Amino acid sequence: MRYKACSGDGCELAFAQAKAIPLGDLVQLPVAMLQKKFYVRQLMDDCCEQSGIEWKPALELSTLESLLQMARNNVGGAILPQSYMDNIRGSGIRSIAIIDPVPQKDVGIVYRKDMYLSKTKDTFMKQLMQQYLYVNEGVQQEKLRIQI
């Protein structure tokens, strides 16, 4: 799973025009984030804790759409899942890769080798691998490890 920082097109924050931003720099900027009960927030908190980075969002909201609106209106940045960002391209939002360290989780696919693998399952696994194994804008992204 990939996560990106985003900002509105007219944003004047220091990171708004960058292709990538180190996590340590990002947490020092005004960033809106989901509440602690959400998985995206827990992932960011864990990543920061493991890296020894102190993290406190400027604003906590309860929906991805409200985070998007904050970024679109240049209130601050927002951290959103890459899969969500892929569906909103061209909506006045810039996507900025988070690096050094990259917040990530490993995901695995487990199935029995002695069972028939339907075309639907095979297609799903191929699409999953295609979605999560790529390089974006010259910045190496984390890779989903598929365990088959």
Side-chain angles (χ1 to χ4, degrees):
M1 297 182 154
R2 291 185 297 269
Y3 296 87
K4 292 263 183 136
C6 67
S7 69
D9 283 340
C11 186
E12 295 181 12
L13 292 173
F15 74 96
Q17 301 304 315
K19 287 186 177 183
I21 183 169
L23 184 60
D25 293 345
L26 178 64
V27 298
Q28 297 174 26
L29 300 170
V31 175
M33 192 63 201
L34 291 171
Q35 298 166 346
K36 289 185 178 192
K37 66 181 180 179
F38 292 97
Y39 179 74
V40 172
R41 172 63 183 276
Q42 292 167 11
L43 178 71
M44 286 299 300
D45 289 346
D46 291 346
C47 184
C48 289
E49 184 179 324
Q50 290 171 5
S51 301
I53 298 170
E54 201 168 314
W55 159 251
K56 179 145 175 57
L59 188 61
E60 291 183 354
L61 301 167
S62 59
T63 67
L64 293 176
E65 183 60 31
S66 58
L67 290 175
L68 183 62
Q69 290 302 320
M70 290 292 138
R72 186 176 282 133
N73 293 322
N74 297 319
V75 173
I79 298 174
L80 298 166
Q82 177 64 44
S83 57
Y84 185 76
M85 294 296 296
D86 288 344
N87 293 318
I88 60 165
R89 294 210 189 275
S91 63
I93 292 291
R94 285 188 33 81
S95 179
I96 304 159
I98 301 171
I99 58 172
D100 194 27
V102 176
Q104 65 183 5
K105 281 289 184 191
D106 292 336
V107 176
I109 298 174
V110 179
Y111 69 95
R112 292 181 54 153
K113 287 187 174 185
D114 62 343
M115 299 295 284
Y116 171 73
L117 185 63
S118 71
K119 184 71 173 166
T120 303
K121 290 177 189 175
D122 185 55
T123 301
F124 170 74
M125 290 190 310
K126 286 178 182 174
Q127 286 179 346
L128 190 64
M129 288 186 283
Q130 183 180 12
Q131 173 70 26
Y132 288 101
L133 299 173
Y134 84 110
V135 175
N136 184 21
E137 299 175 10
V139 178
Q140 180 70 35
Q141 300 295 309
E142 75 281 7
K143 294 184 177 183
L144 173 71
R145 285 179 243 180
I146 306 293
Q147 300 167 352
I148 299 177

